C-alpha cells in the first residue's frame, strides 16, 4: 500500500479540537474543570477490516434530523480519556470523541473539504496496541509477558488461526494486571458487561428473543466454548497470578466479547517480518460502523503506526460522525454474531426464496435507478427524481436477493412479471407469518422496556430489523408493479 500523507501539526497539538483540553500559546495545555466521570456506554461494535473500501455510493437516504436535536444528545468525553492518549503520543486531527444515545463515537470538529488524497485524522503507535499474530511462529506485542509466565503457556495451547479471540482475551486480561500499563487506564473506558450488546453475554431468554434458532444455537456453542476454556485454565490449582485475571467465568467471557467486538484484523510488517495480526487498537476502536463509511484504516510500515484516514474526495461537515465498515458483504446474522448489532438497511442481507417465480433483473434495477454489478450495486441518485427517499440498503439487498432472470434485450411480458412479483410477495408474507411477533409488536415491546438489558434490546432489534427488511422488499415489489417500464 502506498505510504500515506500526514498532516503537519505542532508537536504539542495532540487532540487539539477537544473543548476541555486546549493548547495554550506556550506549547502546553490549559485543562478546564473536569466534570464527574460517568460510565461510558458501549459503542455499537468494534471493527474488522483489512483493506480500504472502494468508492462509496449514495444508496442511503435517511430522513433529515434536526441539527439541534443531534447536538443535544451528544456529550464530550471525560478529559482523562484524552490525557492518557496524549502522554503516550496518540495524535488526532480535526476530530472529537463524544458519547451519544448509541454509545461512544468519533465526530468531526470542523468542516472537511474533499481532497484527491486520503487525510489522516488519527495516529496510534504500535506500542499502545495489543497484538497477536495469527500464524506460527506467533508473537505478541508489546512484549509485556515475562519469560516463564503461565499465561504464555495458556495462549500457546490455543490454535492461532481459530482461537484468535481466546488468545486476545488472555492478553487483554494480562494487560489489565500489569502495573502502569496503558490498558489499565484505557480499560476504564471500555463498556462493562451490563453495557455490552455482545450475545456472548446474553441469557437463554435473550437468545430465544432472537427468533432465529440457527443464530441462537451458534451463540450457545460460542458461550460453551469460552466457558470450557476458562474451566480448563482457571481451575482451583492455577497460580494466583493467573487466577486473579479472571476469578469468575463471566470476567473471561466479557474479555472474549471485547476481543471479538473491538478487534481489527490487519497485515503488519515489523522489519522483514510480515504477519497477519489480530489487534486491539485504542481510540480507533471507538469508530462506529456504517455500510457507507467515510474512513478506513492504513498501516504505516515505516513508523509502525496505524492511521485512520478519510476517504479521498469525501466531504464531511462539522458534527458528522466518522465511521468505518466493520464487515464487508456480510448478512445481519454474521454481524450480530460478532458485534451484537444489526440493521434493517444492510445492503448484503438476503431472503431465501423457495418458489420458482422470477422477475426481470434489468427491469427491476431500472425502476429503482440501481446501477453497477451485483458486487457493487448502488442507487444512482443522479437519475432519481427529486425527493426520492425510498431506495436504501434494503432495496439494494432486494436487487441481490430476489430471484431474477435476464436474457439480453428480450423484453419480459408485463402480465407475467406482475404475477411473479405477487408470488414473491406472498412468500415474503409467509416468512413474516413464521415469526412469533409482528414488527409493530416488537416496536411496542421496545418502547415498553426502556431499561431492558442491552443484550435483550439487541435481540429484539435483530428480529425487528429482519421483519422490516422483508416488509421493505414487499413494498419494493409493489412499486415495481406500479412503475414497470414496458
Amino acid at each position: 500500500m502506498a505510504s500515506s500523507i500526514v498532516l503537519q501539526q505542532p508537536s504539542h497539538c495532540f487532540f487539539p479540537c477537544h473543548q476541555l483540553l486546549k493548547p495554550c500559546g506556550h506549547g502546553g495545555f490549559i485543562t478546564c474543570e473536569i466534570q464527574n466521570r460517568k460510565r461510558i456506554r458501549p459503542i455499537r461494535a468494534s471493527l474488522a477490516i483489512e483493506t480500504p473500501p472502494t468508492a462509496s455510493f449514495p444508496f442511503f437516504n435517511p430522513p433529515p434530523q434536526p441539527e439541534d436535536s443531534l447536538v443535544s444528545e451528544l456529550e464530550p468525553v471525560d478529559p482523562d480519556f484524552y490525557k492518557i492518549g496524549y502522554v503516550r503520543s496518540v495524535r488526532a486531527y480535526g476530530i472529537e470523541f463524544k458519547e451519544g444515545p448509541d454509545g461512544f463515537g468519533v465526530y468531526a470538529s470542523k468542516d472537511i473539504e474533499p481532497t484527491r488524497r486520503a487525510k489522516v485524522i488519527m495516529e496510534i503507535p504500535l506500542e499502545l496496541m495489543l497484538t497477536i499474530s495469527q500464524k506460527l511462529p506467533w508473537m505478541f506485542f508489546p512484549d509485556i509477558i515475562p519469560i516463564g509466565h503461565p499465561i504464555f503457556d495458556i495462549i500457546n495451547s490455543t490454535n492461532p488461526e481459530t482461537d484468535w479471540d481466546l488468545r486476545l482475551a488472555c492478553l487483554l486480561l494480562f494487560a489489565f494486571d500489569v502495573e502502569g500499563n496503558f490498558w489499565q487506564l484505557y480499560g476504564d473506558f471500555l463498556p462493562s458487561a451490563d453495557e455490552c450488546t455482545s450475545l456472548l453475554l446474553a441469557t437463554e431468554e435473550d437468545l430465544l428473543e432472537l427468533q432465529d434458532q440457527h443464530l441462537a444455537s451458534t451463540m450457545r456453542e460460542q458461550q460453551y466454548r469460552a466457558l470450557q476454556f476458562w474451566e480448563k485454565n482457571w481451575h482451583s490449582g492455577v497460580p494466583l497470578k493467573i487466577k486473579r485475571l479472571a476469578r469468575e467465568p463471566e470476567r473471561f467471557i466479557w474479555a472474549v466479547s471485547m476481543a471479538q467486538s473491538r478487534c481489527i484484523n490487519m497485515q503488519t510488517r515489523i522489519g522483514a517480518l510480515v504477519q497477519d495480526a489480530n489487534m486491539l487498537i485504542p481510540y480507533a476502536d471507538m469508530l462506529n460502523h456504517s455500510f457507507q463509511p467515510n474512513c478506513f484504516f492504513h498501516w504505516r510500515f515505516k513508523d509502525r503506526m496505524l492511521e485512520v484516514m478519510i476517504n479521498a474526495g469525501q466531504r464531511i461537515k462539522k458534527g458528522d460522525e466518522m465511521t468505518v465498515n466493520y464487515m464487508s458483504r456480510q448478512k445481519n446474522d454474521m454481524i450480530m454474531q460478532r458485534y451484537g448489532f444489526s440493521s434493517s438497511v444492510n445492503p448484503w442481507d438476503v431472503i431465501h426464496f423457495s418458489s420458482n417465480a422470477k422477475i426481470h433483473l434489468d427491469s427491476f434495477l431500472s425502476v429503482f435507478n440501481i446501477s453497477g454489478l451485483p458486487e457493487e450495486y448502488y442507487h444512482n441518485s443522479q437519475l432519481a427524481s427529486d425527493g426520492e427517499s425510498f431506495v436504501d440498503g434494503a432495496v439494494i439487498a432486494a436487487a441481490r436477493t430476489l430471484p431474477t432472470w435476464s436474457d439480453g434485450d428480450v423484453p419480459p411480458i408485463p402480465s407475467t412479471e406482475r404475477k411473479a412479483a405477487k408470488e414473491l410477495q406472498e412468500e415474503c408474507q409467509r416468512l413474516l407469518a413464521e415469526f412469533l411477533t409482528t414488527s409493530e409488536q416488537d416496536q411496542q415491546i421496545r418502547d415498553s422496556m426502556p431499561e431492558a438489558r442491552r443484550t435483550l434490546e439487541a435481540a429484539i432489534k435483530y428480529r425487528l430489523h429482519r421483519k422490516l427488511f422483508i416488509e421493505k422488499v414487499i413494498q419494493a415489489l409493489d412499486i415495481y408493479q406500479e412503475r414497470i417500464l414496458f
Side-chain angles (χ1 to χ4, degrees), residues 134 162 200 315 345 373 444:
Q134 296 177 0
T162 61
L200 280 174
R315 183 187 302 275
V345 293
L373 300 174
Q444 291 174 0

Side-chain angles (χ1 to χ4, degrees), residues 265-283:
N265 306 322
M266 293 195 73
Q267 187 176 81
T268 63
R269 185 174 70 195
I270 302 176
L273 182 63
V274 178
Q275 281 275 14
D276 291 318
N278 303 113
M279 315 168 79
L280 289 176
I281 304 178
Y283 296 96

Side-chain angles (χ1 to χ4, degrees), residues 236-249:
S236 59
V238 299
L240 177 60
K241 55 185 174 181
I242 290 294
K243 185 178 296 184
R244 69 189 182 201
L245 301 182
R247 294 183 182 274
E248 302 295 334

